Amino acid sequence: MQKKAAILQDISCLGKCSAGVALPIVSHFNIECALLPTALLSAHTAFPTYTCMDLTDMMRKTMQDWRSLDVCFDGFYSGYMLNCTQIALAETFLDTLCRDDTFVLVDPVMGDNGKAYAMLSEAYAADMRRLVSRADIITPNLTEAALLLNRPPKLSGYTEADIRELLLSLHAQGAKCPIITGVSYAPESIGAAYLENGVYHYISDKRFDHVFCGTGDTFAAVVFAAMLQGSCIKDAVTLALRVLRKAMEGEPQWYGINFEAALCDGTFLAAPNN
Ligand code: PXL
């Protein structure tokens, strides 16, 4: 049976992130996607100007409709959400439209490069802490890991011991399997560190200097889709890093990475059970 995934993300009409990245990637793994949009933006928030429509009411009504249709999802992946009400709706979604064995990935999108996004408040971070404790996998970057732990974000200078401590603290706070992205111990490489059954692992790939909105969304979408199709964490993370490398080779595009190139390269996204 084809797997069904629910994706809670914004739609950014210009720029490559969130639903614009998640839908093509997850579909590429032969997974049927249902999108629950959290917001509609004229462009993502890294553009100098943008207009944002809050879709909280639409989320509530859509969930009512889906419940009346008796739909139930094999996978749940949440990303950019605007407010605490949306986080609460995500929890209700898990309670009413998912099963106990639904695979859950929460990307706690709250900031990047040491800076919190505009929607962040203490209440938002506290509610996000509750949501991440419901997930099988969480994929914070270093800034988001610090925010989840209520610490000031630090940009660089992390040692392996620091990263282990961050992962163990996230785990102690309820995250089953935290994967921290953007971890670099050498100038030429960058990757992801994670805890699996309490054991530390680190996988890296080539580092690129340019920084793009949507990189974390691409990583999370590949890990989500590969694991929903049966990959282990190690294979899913390795694949996601290879996709990022392919997407960042060539000309830098400031509005987003070239994930399409990776999608068109058949060997990149060959999921084990497709
Ligand atoms: O990539 C995360 C993200 C998602 N959605 C919107 C964003 C960003 C990052 O800036 O602006 C609207």
Side-chain angles (χ1 to χ4, degrees):
M1 269 275 274
Q2 191 184 26
K3 300 247 168 84
K4 267 208 257 338
I7 297 176
L8 279 72
Q9 280 276 19
D10 68 279
I11 302 171
S12 286
C13 297
L14 190 66
K16 292 193 262 182
C17 67
S18 40
V21 167
L23 292 178
I25 290 178
V26 177
S27 297
H28 194 81
F29 282 77
N30 191 18
I31 294 166
E32 182 184 322
C33 297
L35 177 68
L36 186 62
T38 57
L40 179 64
L41 293 96
S42 57
H44 66 52
T45 63
F47 280 85
T49 177
Y50 61 89
T51 307
C52 176
M53 181 186 278
D54 181 331
L55 296 180
T56 308
D57 280 346
M58 181 69 186
M59 283 174 75
R60 200 176 284 118
K61 287 177 186 144
T62 303
M63 284 168 56
Q64 277 164 10
D65 288 343
W66 288 1
R67 277 194 291 268
S68 75
L69 294 170
D70 255 345
V71 287
C72 187
F73 295 93
D74 306 297
F76 170 101
Y77 161 33
S78 68
Y80 187 89
M81 288 185 276
L82 284 184
N83 52 48
C84 293
T85 307
Q86 295 193 348
I87 299 176
L89 285 173
E91 292 177 281
T92 305
F93 197 107
L94 289 171
D95 292 333
T96 58
L97 286 154
C98 297
R99 299 182 303 267
D100 285 347
D101 67 347
T102 296
F103 175 66
V104 178
L105 187 148
V106 172
D107 188 8
V109 177
M110 295 192 287
D112 204 359
N113 297 308
K115 276 217 202 102
Y117 293 144
M119 86 303 236
L120 195 84
S121 62
E122 267 182 36
Y124 188 101
D127 287 358
M128 186 57 83
R129 260 168 234 138
R130 224 179 39 231
L131 180 62
V132 300
S133 72
R134 307 274 310 261
D136 295 296
I137 301 277
I138 65 166
T139 53
N141 58 34
L142 281 164
T143 303
E144 291 156 349
L147 292 169
L148 280 175
L149 294 168
N150 205 11
R151 299 177 186 177
K154 184 170 99 166
L155 265 183
S156 57
Y158 286 96
T159 63
E160 194 183 293
D162 294 335
I163 299 291
R164 278 176 194 269
E165 192 275 326
L166 277 179
L167 286 166
L168 286 168
S169 301
L170 288 170
H171 189 57
Q173 207 175 261
K176 239 178 268 168
C177 172
I179 304 179
I180 301 182
T181 59
V183 174
S184 177
Y185 300 125
E188 68 285 354
S189 61
I190 191 160
Y194 62 93
L195 276 193
E196 187 179 15
N197 302 323
V199 180
Y200 170 89
H201 299 269
Y202 176 63
I203 304 176
S204 65
D205 208 310
K206 184 173 173 196
R207 183 191 184 112
F208 292 85
D209 286 335
H210 27 272
V211 178
F212 292 120
C213 189
T215 308
D217 298 341
T218 303
F219 179 89
V222 176
V223 169
F224 171 72
M227 289 191 69
L228 185 53
Q229 288 294 34
S231 285
C232 63
I233 303 179
K234 177 170 176 261
D235 290 350
V237 169
T238 304
L239 179 63
L241 293 173
R242 282 215 317 260
V243 168
L244 288 184
R245 167 153 47 93
K246 179 75 183 172
M248 289 201 236
E249 279 167 0
E251 281 291 292
Q253 301 171 327
W254 70 274
Y255 47 85
I257 60 173
N258 186 5
F259 72 93
E260 297 91 339
L263 282 180
C264 293
D265 180 332
T267 58
F268 268 90
L269 294 183
N273 294 337
N274 268 357

